Amino acid sequence: MKGYALTVALPKGRLFEKAYRALTSAGLDLPQPQDKRAMFFEKGDLALLLLRNADVPTYVDLGIADLGVVGKDNLVEAGRELYEPVDLGFGACRVSLIRRPEDHGPIRRLASKYPHIAELWLEQKGLSADVIKLHGNVELAALAGLADAVVDVVETGTTLKKAGLEEREVILKSTARLVVNKPALKLKAGRIRPLIERLREG
Ligand code: PRP
């Protein structure tokens, strides 16, 4: 954003605390978000944007934010070519194909929060199915018969177990990544390169 030396996009929700701690431990003097409903914070020459996980790649790719933290799952789903210099290691989960135990036939309708990942998987398997975009409680689509398979996040496996569903295939393994806008990396190398090095050192 104009007027700031560096603009950082962080996902609110489960990744926030660890992402915030990783960046501040690496020397970035980020503002402390106080108000839970606010989305924009500033401190000195730094701006902090709080976004939905899935929106972080868009803000970084279009250069509104110079860098951000996002789960690999949302990064692949966004389909944007971002510089992804550091695997931060936390936020581990997997995106998997999930079905009811009794479903073994061909997949005709597949529901997901990740329609792009679902399409990529179908293509890779040489399959075709209708992909339906959902926004949450995706397992319900398999249980209620909206779809005969779903592609969703599995973290601890508790949701699956409770729903009596089966994880049939791990499609991708995800952790939080540092993503950087490519022009910003060149223009603001003095700020961004040392941060990347410190994050790599852990
Ligand atoms: C995610 C995902 C699963 C659940 C998996 O949902 O869609 O439902 O977490 O976690 P578990 O394996 O540890 O049980 P989230 O809580 O993000 O909410 P949503 O369904 O509204 O997207």
Side-chain angles (χ1 to χ4, degrees):
M1 278 171 66
K2 280 194 184 122
Y4 296 95
L6 215 52
T7 300
V8 177
L10 290 187
K12 49 187 189 177
R14 327 182 179 207
L15 292 182
F16 175 77
E17 290 296 337
K18 284 181 179 163
Y20 186 88
R21 213 173 312 137
L23 293 182
T24 49
S25 304
L28 213 53
D29 192 18
L30 289 173
Q32 175 77 52
Q34 303 287 357
D35 179 354
K36 285 267 177 246
R37 298 206 71 82
M39 315 161 232
F40 172 78
F41 305 88
E42 57 181 353
K43 183 176 178 187
D45 58 2
L46 291 185
L48 172 62
L49 310 178
L50 286 194
L51 306 171
R52 291 288 294 266
N53 212 330
D55 293 333
V56 171
T58 314
Y59 275 77
V60 174
D61 191 23
L62 299 181
I64 309 303
D66 300 307
L67 56 93
V69 173
V70 63
K72 180 72 175 176
D73 51 348
N74 280 293
L75 193 52
V76 174
E77 180 61 22
R80 291 179 183 269
E81 289 283 314
L82 291 170
Y83 179 49
E84 187 197 316
V86 190
D87 181 345
L88 296 164
F90 57 81
C93 63
R94 49 201 192 266
V95 177
S96 296
L97 182 79
I98 294 161
R99 301 191 82 179
R100 295 191 301 171
E102 59 269 40
D103 283 340
H104 292 284
I107 298 171
R108 297 207 165 79
R109 245 201 242 159
L110 203 162
S112 188
K113 266 189 291 196
Y114 304 95
H116 181 57
I117 293 175
E119 296 279 8
L120 290 175
W121 181 80
L122 286 166
E123 200 180 301
Q124 187 201 325
K125 296 279 167 182
L127 301 171
S128 79
D130 289 335
V131 175
I132 300 171
K133 161 92 182 176
L134 291 178
H135 298 85
N137 289 0
V138 176
E139 293 85 356
L140 187 62
L143 283 179
L146 176 75
D148 46 31
V150 302
V151 167
D152 198 20
V153 170
V154 181
E155 196 177 336
T156 61
T158 313
T159 310
L160 275 188
K161 209 171 167 191
K162 276 197 179 146
L165 295 169
E166 286 180 353
E167 183 177 15
R168 296 283 174 87
E169 185 176 329
V170 176
I171 297 176
L172 80 87
K173 287 187 178 167
S174 177
T175 44
R177 308 296 163 101
L178 178 78
V179 286
V180 180
N181 173 269
K182 287 177 184 171
L185 181 67
K186 292 203 177 106
L187 292 168
K188 301 180 179 185
R191 288 296 282 263
I192 298 175
R193 293 244 178 236
L195 179 70
I196 292 173
E197 289 314 314
R198 283 196 292 267
L199 286 169
R200 279 183 178 154
E201 285 158 14

